[in-house]
Amino acid sequence: SIPPINENGTNIYDNDTGLLKQAINKAVESGDEYLMMEIFESCADRYRRTGRREQALFYYLKAGEMRKEKGDVFVSHDYNFFSQLSELLFSMQEYKEAENSLRHVLAMPMPVQNERLRVNSYNTLALCFQRTSSYDSALHWFEKTWEFARKNGDTVWMGIAKGNIGAVYFEQKKYNEALPLLWDDYNTSLKYGEANSAGNTLHRIAIIYSNQNKKDSALLLARRSLQLTAGKRDDGFNINYIRNAYYALSEVFKSTGQRDSAGYYGAVYDHLKDSL
């Protein structure tokens, strides 16, 4: 949606004298800590949705600290607040802090209508451990994700969890365990129209095939990975997935002794990695 604009061309919410700043000032002047907390959370949410992560984190942490001081962490049961904070922290690679926030979410009694938030929290917690190479803990929480999804008949999340378990095995170089899970994730992603996610899974399968000396199949799959990840921009487009596809192509060409091609794709991969 198009944000409201002042006559001078500035956004009426986000400039230094905009409505959010006015709201913050008035809330602070009032001395009402509950009102301040509510306004800080509104600011955090708006900054998060408009891609200004540092500003969002600042106001999330201010609101979160006030919640702790007032003993409202478990009383208010604001699942969305801690879920959004944890996702933001995860995106900023603050994995330990994201873990702490996720544990707040999972400690709350959650009504049925919020159960999808629980499965997402299980999965993100597992990803935190995966990113820090704590693989046993990652597998534990991915398995919890799968079990919870199975109990609720959520085939999409079951597929996501199995794919993530396969990714952990892949990182551990347990290729025999990883391969069937990754193929299942690839097929599930295509079935539900997640072409970019399918392409990202395919880059791992290509590397496994290359390590198994199936060079022709590995190259075919690596090229297909790039086609899928660099496809339609409105279909889950993710620059990280494209970076991974270039990495797979570089590794496959390297294994076949085609140094020029390996160097080309490796250079593109390094450029994307550095920019990200």
Side-chain angles (χ1 to χ4, degrees), residues 218-234:
L219 182 55
L220 184 68
L221 295 177
R223 283 177 167 154
R224 180 61 177 155
S225 173
L226 183 59
Q227 289 174 349
L228 290 170
T229 56
K232 294 183 295 182
R233 294 299 175 105
D234 60 348

Side-chain angles (χ1 to χ4, degrees), residues 98-209:
E99 176 194 337
N100 293 337
S101 184
L102 286 161
R103 291 189 186 278
H104 283 317
V105 176
L106 294 172
M108 296 177 184
M110 199 170 293
V112 174
Q113 62 266 30
N114 290 97
E115 285 196 334
R116 196 169 179 85
L117 190 59
R118 183 177 291 278
V119 74
N120 184 68
S121 296
Y122 283 145
N123 187 70
T124 306
L125 184 55
L127 289 170
C128 289
F129 286 117
Q130 182 184 2
R131 296 294 172 85
T132 55
S133 301
S134 302
Y135 293 125
D136 288 344
S137 295
L139 288 171
H140 168 76
W141 287 104
F142 281 138
E143 286 163 2
K144 290 272 288 185
T145 304
W146 184 86
E147 290 168 5
F148 191 83
R150 180 182 61 81
K151 185 182 73 173
N152 289 280
D154 192 331
T155 55
V156 173
W157 267 109
M158 288 172 66
I160 291 171
K162 287 177 72 174
N164 285 334
I165 292 170
V168 171
Y169 285 141
F170 170 79
E171 290 180 18
Q172 293 178 303
K173 300 189 185 306
K174 296 180 179 179
Y175 295 145
N176 290 335
E177 292 94 331
L179 205 51
L181 294 169
L182 293 173
W183 273 120
D184 189 54
D185 181 44
Y186 169 75
N187 290 321
T188 300
S189 296
L190 285 184
K191 178 180 178 181
Y192 289 101
E194 299 289 339
N196 283 272
S197 180
N200 189 50
T201 299
L202 211 55
H203 101 271
R204 297 187 177 98
I205 298 175
I207 291 173
I208 290 174
Y209 276 18

Side-chain angles (χ1 to χ4, degrees), residues 33 78 90 160 166 179-180 231 260 265 271:
E33 292 186 342
D78 193 338
F90 178 82
I160 291 171
L179 205 51
D260 288 346
Y265 288 108
H271 173 73

